[in-house]
Amino acid sequence: GVRAGYRLSNWEHPVAGEGSRERTLVSSMVAMGEAGQVKRLWCVLQDVTAERETQRALAATEQKHSALFETMAAGAIYLSAGGQVTGVNPAAAEILGVSCEEIIRRGPDGNWKYLSEDGSPLAQEETAIGRALREGGPCAGELLAIWNEEKDEWRWLLANAVPHRNHLGEFHTLQVTFSDVTELRQAQVAVRESELRFRSVVESSPIAMHLFAVPNEGPVTFEEANAAAERMFQARAGRGAPLEEAFPLISGVLNSGIRQVREWGDVWHADRVHHQERDKHSVYEIHAFQTSPGRVAVMYQDITERTVAEEALRKSEEQFRLLWECSHDGMRLTDEDGRLLRVNEAYCRLVGLERPAIEGQLFNGCLAPESRQEALDYYRARFANPGRVFNGEGEVTLWDGRKLW
């Protein structure tokens, strides 16, 4: 005899259902008699189709995640709750300058060198990884630098550390992702340095300058003025004041020019802008240009004295023109060679020639041919002694034979 007992077995069997393939898990138990014969057979059938479909979907999702993990441009590292590295993608190895195997071997405490955003040394426990492992909470958007051993340089990273918990709320995995933003960081540093240099030039410049904020919508607002501008303008505008309040007398001209610069990026120029401030009347030449998106600098050159001088010169020239044209005495203006640059009407009547016929010609052309060379030599001798005034009296014979004294 065969000893009586029970034999338990499980197997999975596909069953063709209506329009689909279903799977059934069969559990059976056989009761054996003393002689080894089957006395009873118990079978339990369980439909496991949904469970198997879920497993297949999970496998497909894990396959997609694995492909994304391996090919993504950002670095990615997985750590256990205890701090052991469990996964590293190729991008992380390239950014850190060591192999994936070396990252796994060294772990987060493996003699990595860090810098904080301000450039000071940063301890590992104060990084996003260290804080997330210690506190169990997410750390997002951390900017830090890590030493790349392969390239022998600091690389700036934007890092995120996100802990994952199971259905019981237990922390089991830390997902760390980071992007290399070194080039962006260098560009930002260069922009800040450029702005500092520009601000230094502006502040020390003898040219008055204002800076304005120019949003896409809303009013233009005053930001700051350099020392020269504060000396030039008696009124003091507060930071953030609308342009119309800060400089009401020239706001119309400034607003139009600033908006033009903001829209087109061109350099704008306005000449002879008059400004009355209390008892002071000034005339400015204004230039505006864009220093950065949304910010415009306006430079003022005080041309009041030049404008006054130009006006005085204009009046003087007008008086000279009236005197020249209205005089009954003949007058001529000649160059060093004796060519007539300008003559008045009295001179034309005196020599009997029209102005177009003699201007630009030698003055001795108005004389008789036999006396022209003598007159020219006398003229050049006088011209060789600048600053002396010559007064003379004599008889001349004109081109038409008339004699004048």
Side-chain angles (χ1 to χ4, degrees):
V2 177
R3 185 178 177 181
Y6 299 91
R7 182 178 300 165
L8 181 65
S9 61
N10 296 301
W11 72 93
E12 192 171 314
H13 182 70
V15 179
E18 296 182 1
S20 64
R21 296 281 297 177
E22 298 179 353
R23 300 193 67 83
T24 302
L25 180 65
V26 181
S27 300
S28 64
M29 185 173 66
V30 179
M32 309 293 293
E34 291 292 339
Q37 76 277 15
V38 176
K39 296 181 67 177
R40 291 185 179 82
L41 174 64
W42 289 273
C43 292
V44 178
L45 307 181
Q46 181 182 1
D47 188 351
V48 294
T49 305
E51 182 180 348
R52 296 298 177 261
E53 289 177 349
T54 300
Q55 291 173 347
R56 287 194 295 270
L58 178 60
T61 299
E62 289 179 346
Q63 184 177 8
K64 293 178 181 178
H65 175 268
S66 177
L68 176 63
F69 180 76
E70 293 295 326
T71 59
M72 63 189 294
I77 297 176
Y78 285 111
L79 298 95
S80 68
Q84 290 77 32
V85 178
T86 58
V88 181
N89 74 340
E94 181 178 357
I95 293 172
L96 299 181
V98 294
S99 66
C100 296
E101 294 75 12
E102 180 66 10
I103 296 173
I104 294 174
R105 186 190 67 80
R106 291 166 63 170
D109 300 323
N111 196 29
W112 303 102
K113 297 178 182 178
Y114 300 100
L115 293 179
S116 62
E117 185 173 357
D118 62 5
S120 60
L122 182 67
Q124 187 277 331
E125 56 269 19
E126 296 305 320
T127 64
I129 295 178
R131 297 199 310 274
L133 287 174
R134 183 175 67 252
E135 301 169 6
C139 297
E142 181 185 41
L143 181 64
L144 75 162
I146 190 168
W147 183 255
N148 184 301
E149 299 177 4
E150 181 182 14
K151 297 181 179 179
D152 197 30
E153 64 180 10
W154 291 102
R155 305 299 295 181
W156 286 93
L157 310 180
L158 188 63
N160 299 289
V162 180
H164 293 276
R165 301 180 181 277
N166 60 21
H167 65 286
L168 299 177
E170 298 170 338
F171 174 23
H172 62 87
T173 301
L174 180 66
Q175 176 184 331
V176 181
T177 57
F178 47 90
S179 300
D180 190 335
V181 295
T182 304
E183 285 71 23
L184 177 60
R185 168 78 175 186
Q186 292 171 345
Q188 291 173 338
V189 171
V191 168
R192 283 198 295 269
E193 291 177 350
S194 176
E195 288 181 346
L196 288 175
R197 288 194 297 269
F198 173 76
R199 188 174 297 277
S200 176
V201 170
V202 168
E203 191 57 36
S204 60
S205 173
I207 300 175
M209 188 176 299
H210 286 149
L211 294 178
F212 293 93
V214 192
N216 291 328
E217 298 181 359
V220 176
T221 56
F222 172 78
E223 283 201 340
E224 57 184 307
N226 68 350
E230 291 183 349
R231 290 192 299 268
M232 177 178 289
F233 293 91
Q234 297 178 14
R236 297 290 184 269
R239 185 181 181 89
L243 174 60
E244 290 76 9
E245 295 180 10
F247 308 99
L249 299 179
I250 56 174
S251 61
V253 175
L254 284 181
N255 189 64
S256 175
I258 290 172
R259 288 292 182 186
Q260 180 178 323
V261 171
R262 175 67 172 82
E263 183 174 358
W264 300 104
D266 298 331
V267 175
W268 173 79
H269 168 250
D271 193 15
R272 299 181 185 279
V273 177
H274 292 263
H275 181 255
Q276 183 71 41
E277 190 175 21
R278 300 175 187 170
D279 57 346
K280 178 184 177 184
H281 179 266
S282 304
V283 183
Y284 300 131
E285 187 177 287
I286 303 177
H287 298 263
F289 59 93
Q290 186 169 264
T291 60
S292 61
R295 300 180 76 233
V296 171
V298 178
M299 297 190 303
Y300 308 86
Q301 184 176 359
D302 191 337
I303 58 172
T304 307
E305 293 183 1
R306 189 183 80 188
T307 303
V308 171
E310 289 174 350
E311 181 63 21
L313 178 61
R314 187 193 63 79
K315 291 181 179 179
S316 177
E317 288 179 343
E318 180 66 18
Q319 292 172 354
F320 172 77
R321 188 188 65 82
L322 291 174
L323 176 63
W324 181 275
E325 294 297 336
C326 298
S327 176
H328 293 289
D329 297 323
M331 290 188 281
R332 74 186 187 199
L333 180 65
T334 53
D335 63 12
E336 60 182 356
D337 295 323
R339 295 189 181 278
L340 293 166
L341 302 177
R342 186 175 183 180
V343 297
N344 67 351
E345 286 296 326
Y347 184 85
C348 293
R349 291 194 300 269
L350 185 67
V351 300
L353 292 171
E354 296 292 332
R355 183 177 296 181
I358 56 178
E359 286 186 340
Q361 306 298 320
L362 290 173
F363 76 93
N364 60 356
C366 302
L367 304 176
E370 62 273 13
S371 59
R372 290 176 183 173
Q373 188 60 46
E374 181 184 357
L376 186 59
D377 292 341
Y378 178 69
Y379 171 83
R380 288 175 175 171
R382 291 168 53 193
F383 203 91
N385 295 277
R388 293 184 60 187
V389 178
F390 291 89
N391 295 308
E393 185 176 323
E395 185 181 44
V396 295
T397 303
L398 299 180
W399 63 277
D400 56 1
R402 286 186 297 124
K403 293 183 181 296
L404 297 176
W405 188 268

